[in-house]
Amino acid sequence: MPSKNLRRLVLFAMFGLGLCGVLGAQAPSRIVDERDPYRTVRLDPLNAGLVDFLERESEHIVSNQEKLKTGELKQADYDKSLAESKAKVAAIAAQQPASAPVQTSAARAYIRAGDYALAVDHASKAVAIAPKDPFPLTTRGVAYFESGDFPKAAADARRALTLDPDDPVAKAIYEL
């Protein structure tokens, strides 16, 4: 079983180098992959706005987790904030059930919230919508990895690597 530090490394890679770079929109309707700036995905303004909202909500969850660790936030306040964040994510994901980027961003938010079952569910929806896109696969792989289902995580990573052999997150998951 991988150590907690290895798990954190995978998550850091996921949110630092992988999907986060892809979803760091420069313009409201364009997503740029920082590893390959010439590869862009166009989103309509509604989906781009929803993806941006979900990514900000993910950051809010992480910020509150840090505040909880430092004592700036009490457990009850954290629990309330987390429940509100998860409700917002669910509402946004329900608005665009056929959007792979929205479903993938919802999965990322659930990963950060520690709700891996919902993360797998939303990432699976994104994989079904965009089977040739490696990012939903990688996201689902991280959710499986974090939940302890290492064989499914490796299978998703292997499949993502067939679509994008240079994906550092998929490589890390597969090697672990």
Side-chain angles (χ1 to χ4, degrees), residues 42-85:
R42 300 268 177 205
L43 290 178
D44 62 77
L46 173 63
N47 284 336
L50 295 176
V51 166
D52 186 48
F53 177 85
L54 289 168
E55 291 301 312
R56 283 194 314 269
E57 200 60 40
S58 290
E59 292 168 10
H60 177 71
I61 291 167
V62 171
S63 172
N64 280 347
Q65 288 169 344
E66 292 300 318
K67 289 178 182 177
L68 180 65
K69 288 178 189 174
T70 62
E72 292 178 56
L73 197 61
K74 294 179 183 176
Q75 185 68 46
D77 294 333
Y78 171 76
D79 292 342
K80 180 180 176 188
S81 175
L82 183 62
E84 290 170 357
S85 290

Short mmCIF file of all heavy atoms in Angstrom, two decimals, residues 42-85:
data_model
loop_
_atom_site.label_atom_id
_atom_site.label_comp_id
_atom_site.label_asym_id
_atom_site.label_seq_id
_atom_site.Cartn_x
_atom_site.Cartn_y
_atom_site.Cartn_z
N ARG A 42 -12.06 24.26 -26.82
CA ARG A 42 -13.02 25.35 -26.79
C ARG A 42 -14.25 24.92 -26.01
O ARG A 42 -14.76 23.82 -26.19
CB ARG A 42 -13.44 25.74 -28.20
CG ARG A 42 -12.29 26.20 -29.04
CD ARG A 42 -12.14 27.68 -28.93
NE ARG A 42 -10.96 28.07 -29.70
CZ ARG A 42 -10.28 29.15 -29.45
NH1 ARG A 42 -10.65 29.93 -28.48
NH2 ARG A 42 -9.24 29.47 -30.15
N LEU A 43 -14.69 25.80 -25.14
CA LEU A 43 -15.92 25.58 -24.39
C LEU A 43 -16.84 26.75 -24.66
O LEU A 43 -16.39 27.89 -24.81
CB LEU A 43 -15.66 25.52 -22.89
CG LEU A 43 -14.90 24.34 -22.34
CD1 LEU A 43 -14.71 24.51 -20.84
CD2 LEU A 43 -15.63 23.05 -22.63
N ASP A 44 -18.12 26.47 -24.68
CA ASP A 44 -19.05 27.57 -24.78
C ASP A 44 -18.97 28.36 -23.47
O ASP A 44 -18.52 27.83 -22.45
CB ASP A 44 -20.47 27.08 -25.07
CG ASP A 44 -21.00 26.20 -23.96
OD1 ASP A 44 -21.39 26.76 -22.92
OD2 ASP A 44 -21.00 24.97 -24.13
N PRO A 45 -19.36 29.62 -23.48
CA PRO A 45 -19.21 30.45 -22.27
C PRO A 45 -19.89 29.88 -21.03
O PRO A 45 -19.37 30.01 -19.93
CB PRO A 45 -19.84 31.79 -22.68
CG PRO A 45 -19.68 31.83 -24.16
CD PRO A 45 -19.83 30.41 -24.62
N LEU A 46 -21.04 29.22 -21.19
CA LEU A 46 -21.73 28.65 -20.02
C LEU A 46 -20.86 27.57 -19.38
O LEU A 46 -20.62 27.60 -18.17
CB LEU A 46 -23.08 28.07 -20.41
CG LEU A 46 -23.79 27.29 -19.29
CD1 LEU A 46 -24.12 28.21 -18.12
CD2 LEU A 46 -25.02 26.59 -19.81
N ASN A 47 -20.38 26.62 -20.17
CA ASN A 47 -19.57 25.54 -19.62
C ASN A 47 -18.26 26.07 -19.05
O ASN A 47 -17.80 25.61 -18.01
CB ASN A 47 -19.31 24.45 -20.65
CG ASN A 47 -20.52 23.57 -20.86
OD1 ASN A 47 -21.37 23.45 -19.99
ND2 ASN A 47 -20.61 22.96 -22.01
N ALA A 48 -17.65 27.04 -19.73
CA ALA A 48 -16.40 27.62 -19.23
C ALA A 48 -16.63 28.29 -17.88
O ALA A 48 -15.83 28.13 -16.96
CB ALA A 48 -15.83 28.62 -20.23
N GLY A 49 -17.73 28.99 -17.73
CA GLY A 49 -18.06 29.63 -16.46
C GLY A 49 -18.31 28.61 -15.36
O GLY A 49 -17.89 28.81 -14.21
N LEU A 50 -18.99 27.53 -15.71
CA LEU A 50 -19.26 26.49 -14.71
C LEU A 50 -17.98 25.78 -14.29
O LEU A 50 -17.78 25.50 -13.10
CB LEU A 50 -20.28 25.48 -15.26
CG LEU A 50 -21.68 26.03 -15.52
CD1 LEU A 50 -22.56 24.97 -16.15
CD2 LEU A 50 -22.31 26.59 -14.26
N VAL A 51 -17.10 25.50 -15.25
CA VAL A 51 -15.82 24.88 -14.93
C VAL A 51 -15.02 25.80 -14.01
O VAL A 51 -14.45 25.36 -13.00
CB VAL A 51 -15.02 24.54 -16.21
CG1 VAL A 51 -13.57 24.21 -15.90
CG2 VAL A 51 -15.68 23.38 -16.94
N ASP A 52 -15.00 27.08 -14.34
CA ASP A 52 -14.28 28.05 -13.52
C ASP A 52 -14.86 28.09 -12.10
O ASP A 52 -14.12 28.10 -11.12
CB ASP A 52 -14.34 29.43 -14.17
CG ASP A 52 -13.50 30.45 -13.45
OD1 ASP A 52 -12.33 30.15 -13.15
OD2 ASP A 52 -14.00 31.57 -13.20
N PHE A 53 -16.18 28.09 -11.98
CA PHE A 53 -16.82 28.09 -10.67
C PHE A 53 -16.44 26.85 -9.87
O PHE A 53 -16.11 26.93 -8.69
CB PHE A 53 -18.35 28.18 -10.81
CG PHE A 53 -19.06 28.12 -9.50
CD1 PHE A 53 -19.24 29.27 -8.74
CD2 PHE A 53 -19.52 26.91 -8.98
CE1 PHE A 53 -19.89 29.21 -7.51
CE2 PHE A 53 -20.15 26.85 -7.75
CZ PHE A 53 -20.34 28.00 -7.01
N LEU A 54 -16.48 25.68 -10.53
CA LEU A 54 -16.15 24.43 -9.84
C LEU A 54 -14.69 24.42 -9.39
O LEU A 54 -14.38 23.92 -8.30
CB LEU A 54 -16.45 23.24 -10.74
CG LEU A 54 -17.95 22.96 -10.95
CD1 LEU A 54 -18.14 21.96 -12.08
CD2 LEU A 54 -18.60 22.48 -9.67
N GLU A 55 -13.80 24.95 -10.20
CA GLU A 55 -12.39 25.00 -9.81
C GLU A 55 -12.19 25.94 -8.62
O GLU A 55 -11.41 25.64 -7.71
CB GLU A 55 -11.51 25.42 -11.00
CG GLU A 55 -11.45 24.36 -12.08
CD GLU A 55 -10.89 23.03 -11.60
OE1 GLU A 55 -9.84 23.02 -10.93
OE2 GLU A 55 -11.50 21.99 -11.90
N ARG A 56 -12.89 27.06 -8.61
CA ARG A 56 -12.81 27.96 -7.45
C ARG A 56 -13.38 27.30 -6.20
O ARG A 56 -12.85 27.47 -5.10
CB ARG A 56 -13.53 29.28 -7.74
CG ARG A 56 -12.73 30.22 -8.62
CD ARG A 56 -13.30 31.64 -8.62
NE ARG A 56 -14.74 31.70 -8.77
CZ ARG A 56 -15.39 31.81 -9.93
NH1 ARG A 56 -14.71 31.86 -11.04
NH2 ARG A 56 -16.70 31.88 -9.97
N GLU A 57 -14.45 26.52 -6.36
CA GLU A 57 -15.04 25.83 -5.21
C GLU A 57 -14.06 24.78 -4.69
O GLU A 57 -13.94 24.58 -3.48
CB GLU A 57 -16.37 25.18 -5.60
CG GLU A 57 -17.25 24.87 -4.44
CD GLU A 57 -17.64 26.09 -3.61
OE1 GLU A 57 -17.91 27.17 -4.15
OE2 GLU A 57 -17.67 25.95 -2.37
N SER A 58 -13.33 24.11 -5.58
CA SER A 58 -12.29 23.16 -5.17
C SER A 58 -11.22 23.85 -4.34
O SER A 58 -10.78 23.34 -3.31
CB SER A 58 -11.63 22.52 -6.39
OG SER A 58 -12.48 21.65 -7.05
N GLU A 59 -10.80 25.02 -4.81
CA GLU A 59 -9.79 25.78 -4.08
C GLU A 59 -10.31 26.21 -2.71
O GLU A 59 -9.56 26.23 -1.73
CB GLU A 59 -9.35 26.99 -4.90
CG GLU A 59 -8.58 26.61 -6.15
CD GLU A 59 -8.40 27.76 -7.11
OE1 GLU A 59 -8.70 28.92 -6.74
OE2 GLU A 59 -7.96 27.50 -8.24
N HIS A 60 -11.59 26.54 -2.65
CA HIS A 60 -12.22 26.92 -1.38
C HIS A 60 -12.19 25.75 -0.39
O HIS A 60 -11.90 25.94 0.80
CB HIS A 60 -13.66 27.39 -1.64
CG HIS A 60 -14.42 27.74 -0.41
ND1 HIS A 60 -14.15 28.87 0.35
CD2 HIS A 60 -15.44 27.11 0.21
CE1 HIS A 60 -14.98 28.91 1.38
NE2 HIS A 60 -15.77 27.84 1.32
N ILE A 61 -12.46 24.56 -0.88
CA ILE A 61 -12.43 23.37 -0.02
C ILE A 61 -11.03 23.17 0.54
O ILE A 61 -10.86 22.95 1.75
CB ILE A 61 -12.89 22.12 -0.80
CG1 ILE A 61 -14.39 22.22 -1.12
CG2 ILE A 61 -12.58 20.84 -0.03
CD1 ILE A 61 -14.89 21.20 -2.13
N VAL A 62 -10.02 23.28 -0.31
CA VAL A 62 -8.64 23.09 0.14
C VAL A 62 -8.25 24.19 1.12
O VAL A 62 -7.60 23.92 2.14
CB VAL A 62 -7.67 23.06 -1.07
CG1 VAL A 62 -6.22 23.10 -0.62
CG2 VAL A 62 -7.94 21.82 -1.91
N SER A 63 -8.65 25.41 0.85
CA SER A 63 -8.35 26.52 1.75
C SER A 63 -8.96 26.27 3.14
O SER A 63 -8.30 26.49 4.16
CB SER A 63 -8.91 27.82 1.17
OG SER A 63 -8.79 28.88 2.09
N ASN A 64 -10.19 25.80 3.17
CA ASN A 64 -10.82 25.51 4.46
C ASN A 64 -10.15 24.34 5.16
O ASN A 64 -10.08 24.32 6.39
CB ASN A 64 -12.32 25.25 4.28
CG ASN A 64 -13.10 26.53 4.15
OD1 ASN A 64 -12.59 27.62 4.42
ND2 ASN A 64 -14.34 26.43 3.71
N GLN A 65 -9.66 23.35 4.41
CA GLN A 65 -8.93 22.25 5.03
C GLN A 65 -7.66 22.77 5.71
O GLN A 65 -7.33 22.34 6.81
CB GLN A 65 -8.58 21.19 3.98
CG GLN A 65 -9.77 20.41 3.51
CD GLN A 65 -9.49 19.56 2.29
OE1 GLN A 65 -8.50 19.74 1.59
NE2 GLN A 65 -10.37 18.60 2.02
N GLU A 66 -6.99 23.69 5.07
CA GLU A 66 -5.79 24.30 5.67
C GLU A 66 -6.16 25.10 6.91
O GLU A 66 -5.47 25.05 7.92
CB GLU A 66 -5.06 25.18 4.65
CG GLU A 66 -4.42 24.40 3.52
CD GLU A 66 -3.39 23.40 4.00
OE1 GLU A 66 -2.59 23.74 4.90
OE2 GLU A 66 -3.40 22.27 3.49
N LYS A 67 -7.24 25.85 6.84
CA LYS A 67 -7.69 26.63 8.00
C LYS A 67 -8.07 25.72 9.16
O LYS A 67 -7.83 26.06 10.31
CB LYS A 67 -8.88 27.52 7.62
CG LYS A 67 -8.50 28.67 6.72
CD LYS A 67 -9.72 29.48 6.34
CE LYS A 67 -9.35 30.62 5.41
NZ LYS A 67 -10.53 31.37 4.94
N LEU A 68 -8.65 24.58 8.84
CA LEU A 68 -8.99 23.62 9.89
C LEU A 68 -7.72 23.09 10.56
O LEU A 68 -7.66 22.99 11.79
CB LEU A 68 -9.80 22.46 9.30
CG LEU A 68 -10.24 21.37 10.28
CD1 LEU A 68 -11.21 21.93 11.31
CD2 LEU A 68 -10.87 20.21 9.52
N LYS A 69 -6.71 22.80 9.76
CA LYS A 69 -5.44 22.29 10.31
C LYS A 69 -4.75 23.31 11.20
O LYS A 69 -4.15 22.94 12.21
CB LYS A 69 -4.49 21.90 9.18
CG LYS A 69 -4.89 20.66 8.44
CD LYS A 69 -3.91 20.38 7.32
CE LYS A 69 -4.40 19.26 6.43
NZ LYS A 69 -3.52 19.09 5.25
N THR A 70 -4.83 24.59 10.83
CA THR A 70 -4.16 25.63 11.61
C THR A 70 -5.00 26.13 12.77
O THR A 70 -4.52 26.93 13.58
CB THR A 70 -3.78 26.83 10.72
OG1 THR A 70 -4.97 27.41 10.19
CG2 THR A 70 -2.83 26.41 9.61
N GLY A 71 -6.25 25.71 12.85
CA GLY A 71 -7.11 26.14 13.94
C GLY A 71 -7.89 27.40 13.65
O GLY A 71 -8.62 27.88 14.51
N GLU A 72 -7.74 27.96 12.46
CA GLU A 72 -8.48 29.16 12.09
C GLU A 72 -9.97 28.87 11.92
O GLU A 72 -10.79 29.78 11.99
CB GLU A 72 -7.96 29.74 10.78
CG GLU A 72 -6.57 30.31 10.83
CD GLU A 72 -6.13 30.82 9.48
OE1 GLU A 72 -6.84 31.66 8.89
OE2 GLU A 72 -5.09 30.34 9.00
N LEU A 73 -10.30 27.61 11.68
CA LEU A 73 -11.67 27.20 11.45
C LEU A 73 -12.00 26.05 12.38
O LEU A 73 -11.21 25.12 12.53
CB LEU A 73 -11.80 26.76 9.97
CG LEU A 73 -13.18 26.65 9.36
CD1 LEU A 73 -13.88 28.00 9.37
CD2 LEU A 73 -13.07 26.16 7.92
N LYS A 74 -13.15 26.13 13.01
CA LYS A 74 -13.58 25.06 13.90
C LYS A 74 -14.16 23.91 13.07
O LYS A 74 -14.64 24.12 11.95
CB LYS A 74 -14.63 25.58 14.88
CG LYS A 74 -14.08 26.61 15.84
CD LYS A 74 -15.16 27.10 16.76
CE LYS A 74 -14.59 28.18 17.67
NZ LYS A 74 -15.62 28.76 18.52
N GLN A 75 -14.15 22.72 13.65
CA GLN A 75 -14.64 21.53 12.94
C GLN A 75 -16.09 21.70 12.48
O GLN A 75 -16.43 21.35 11.36
CB GLN A 75 -14.50 20.28 13.83
CG GLN A 75 -14.88 19.00 13.14
CD GLN A 75 -13.93 18.61 12.03
OE1 GLN A 75 -12.73 18.65 12.19
NE2 GLN A 75 -14.48 18.21 10.89
N ALA A 76 -16.93 22.24 13.34
CA ALA A 76 -18.35 22.42 12.98
C ALA A 76 -18.50 23.37 11.80
O ALA A 76 -19.31 23.13 10.89
CB ALA A 76 -19.14 22.93 14.18
N ASP A 77 -17.72 24.45 11.81
CA ASP A 77 -17.78 25.41 10.70
C ASP A 77 -17.24 24.78 9.41
O ASP A 77 -17.78 25.02 8.33
CB ASP A 77 -16.97 26.67 11.03
CG ASP A 77 -17.59 27.45 12.18
OD1 ASP A 77 -18.82 27.36 12.38
OD2 ASP A 77 -16.82 28.14 12.89
N TYR A 78 -16.19 23.99 9.54
CA TYR A 78 -15.64 23.29 8.37
C TYR A 78 -16.67 22.33 7.80
O TYR A 78 -16.89 22.29 6.59
CB TYR A 78 -14.35 22.54 8.74
CG TYR A 78 -13.88 21.65 7.63
CD1 TYR A 78 -13.24 22.19 6.51
CD2 TYR A 78 -14.10 20.28 7.66
CE1 TYR A 78 -12.83 21.38 5.47
CE2 TYR A 78 -13.69 19.47 6.63
CZ TYR A 78 -13.04 20.02 5.53
OH TYR A 78 -12.65 19.21 4.49
N ASP A 79 -17.29 21.54 8.66
CA ASP A 79 -18.30 20.57 8.21
C ASP A 79 -19.45 21.27 7.48
O ASP A 79 -19.91 20.81 6.43
CB ASP A 79 -18.84 19.76 9.38
CG ASP A 79 -17.79 18.82 9.97
OD1 ASP A 79 -16.78 18.53 9.29
OD2 ASP A 79 -17.99 18.38 11.12
N LYS A 80 -19.89 22.39 8.02
CA LYS A 80 -20.97 23.15 7.38
C LYS A 80 -20.53 23.69 6.02
O LYS A 80 -21.26 23.57 5.04
CB LYS A 80 -21.40 24.31 8.29
CG LYS A 80 -22.52 25.15 7.73
CD LYS A 80 -22.88 26.28 8.67
CE LYS A 80 -23.94 27.16 8.02
NZ LYS A 80 -24.20 28.37 8.79
N SER A 81 -19.33 24.25 5.97
CA SER A 81 -18.80 24.79 4.72
C SER A 81 -18.62 23.69 3.68
O SER A 81 -18.93 23.87 2.50
CB SER A 81 -17.47 25.50 4.97
OG SER A 81 -16.90 25.91 3.76
N LEU A 82 -18.14 22.53 4.11
CA LEU A 82 -17.93 21.41 3.19
C LEU A 82 -19.27 20.93 2.62
O LEU A 82 -19.39 20.68 1.42
CB LEU A 82 -17.20 20.26 3.88
CG LEU A 82 -16.86 19.06 3.01
CD1 LEU A 82 -15.93 19.46 1.88
CD2 LEU A 82 -16.23 17.97 3.86
N ALA A 83 -20.27 20.84 3.47
CA ALA A 83 -21.60 20.43 3.00
C ALA A 83 -22.15 21.42 1.99
O ALA A 83 -22.74 21.03 0.97
CB ALA A 83 -22.55 20.27 4.19
N GLU A 84 -21.96 22.71 2.26
CA GLU A 84 -22.42 23.75 1.32
C GLU A 84 -21.67 23.65 -0.01
O GLU A 84 -22.28 23.76 -1.08
CB GLU A 84 -22.22 25.14 1.93
CG GLU A 84 -23.16 25.44 3.08
CD GLU A 84 -22.81 26.73 3.82
OE1 GLU A 84 -21.79 27.37 3.48
OE2 GLU A 84 -23.54 27.08 4.76
N SER A 85 -20.36 23.43 0.06
CA SER A 85 -19.56 23.30 -1.16
C SER A 85 -20.01 22.10 -1.98
O SER A 85 -20.16 22.19 -3.21
CB SER A 85 -18.07 23.17 -0.83
OG SER A 85 -17.56 24.38 -0.33
#
